[in-house]
Amino acid sequence: MKFGVPLGLLHPAAWKDVAVAADSLGFESLWVPEHLVFTTDLSLATYPGTSTPGIRPHTPLFDAPAYLCWLAGLTSRVRLGTAVHLFALRHPFVSARAFATLDIVSGGRAVCGVGAGWYSGEWDAAGVDFATRGPRLDEAITVARRLWSEETVAHTGRFFSFPEVAFEPKPIQHTLPVLAGGESAAALRRAATLCDGWISMPHTLESVRPQLERLAALRDGRRFSVTVHASSLASPEEIAVWEALGVDRLIVRPWKGTGDAVTKLTAFAADHGLTPDHERPSATPSG
């Protein structure tokens, strides 16, 4: 099992120290969330399945790939991912360039977690149609894959069209991993058919089973990565149960508050047998 650390659940002032600690303690990945902008009209911000706003307008927001580029210079082995990037809120040139850059400056450690998003306010503010965000994301992923792998690319589609272009440099990873977030039927289909894996919302062992069963039916046996935000872990012995379900990465939050994050990560690493930095061989890019 690989273990990731969600920086978005901490005060931003702690991100640097937690990232460096996670890298040295043997955690496999770091994850940064993303929104482009929040409007002050909270009537647009009710989180699905609730009656309350899912955002606070004055929450600090960062350019996730850019922030991860900075963390790449402070770390050496940990993979650097977005959970999740609103890939289709920009032209695919913009997002494809951002992740190619991250992959290069990190030595092949980028993971591109993408999602269609739930919050209409930022799409409206950016002048991008919220209703078509799903198919727009599907097309953007397809375009980015081509930009990352083909010598030249021309495209004519429903949402994006451009003449033949060159796109250099390519990512270091032969296949820069793209993981789809979301739990709707469309999101699971996207993960299973267009992407290299799925990244979940917070779950318990029981609550994640239906989504994993639906994914298994859609995947048709092909190689696939499953990343789950674990709501909680009872003990190290529980990890084998997650693995039996087909989960290969758990994003964990063993701390109660920002102040004890590094201490709790250190204890988690010891309890779960993670290999500290000085005992590990150098990482190599996947793909």
Side-chain angles (χ1 to χ4, degrees), residues 273-287:
L274 275 62
T275 306
D277 180 73
H278 66 276
E279 297 179 14
R280 286 183 288 160
S282 297
T284 56
S286 66

Side-chain angles (χ1 to χ4, degrees), residues 177-197:
V178 179
L179 310 184
E183 309 205 353
S184 66
L188 295 176
R189 174 205 53 78
R190 180 177 301 116
T193 61
L194 287 180
C195 298
D196 304 297

Side-chain angles (χ1 to χ4, degrees), residues 172-185:
I172 289 177
Q173 298 178 91
H174 177 70
T175 300
L176 196 162
V178 179
L179 310 184
E183 309 205 353
S184 66

Side-chain angles (χ1 to χ4, degrees), residues 63-143:
D63 181 318
Y67 202 104
L68 289 169
C69 282
W70 179 59
L71 293 182
L74 301 172
T75 57
S76 60
R77 291 178 172 81
V78 71
R79 297 184 69 82
L80 304 162
T82 49
V84 289
H85 180 77
L86 298 173
F87 208 89
L89 194 52
R90 297 89 165 165
H91 193 284
F93 288 166
V94 177
S95 292
R97 181 68 68 198
F99 282 92
T101 300
L102 172 59
D103 203 54
I104 290 163
V105 302
S106 68
R109 292 186 280 145
V111 183
C112 180
V114 304
W118 61 270
Y119 170 52
S120 64
E122 61 190 322
W123 293 78
D124 295 343
V128 183
D129 181 36
F130 181 70
T132 57
R133 67 195 185 282
R136 183 183 295 269
L137 175 56
D138 293 347
E139 185 175 335
I141 292 169
T142 300
V143 170

Side-chain angles (χ1 to χ4, degrees), residues 9 12 35 54 65 78 93 110-111 120-121 131-132 136 147 159 164 209 222 227-228 231-233 248 252 254 263 282:
L9 297 176
H35 282 283
V78 71
F93 288 166
V111 183
S120 64
T132 57
R136 183 183 295 269
L147 293 170
F159 302 103
E164 186 175 79
R209 291 177 190 269
R222 72 182 184 90
T227 298
V228 174
S231 297
S232 63
L233 292 175
D248 54 73
V252 298
T263 299
S282 297

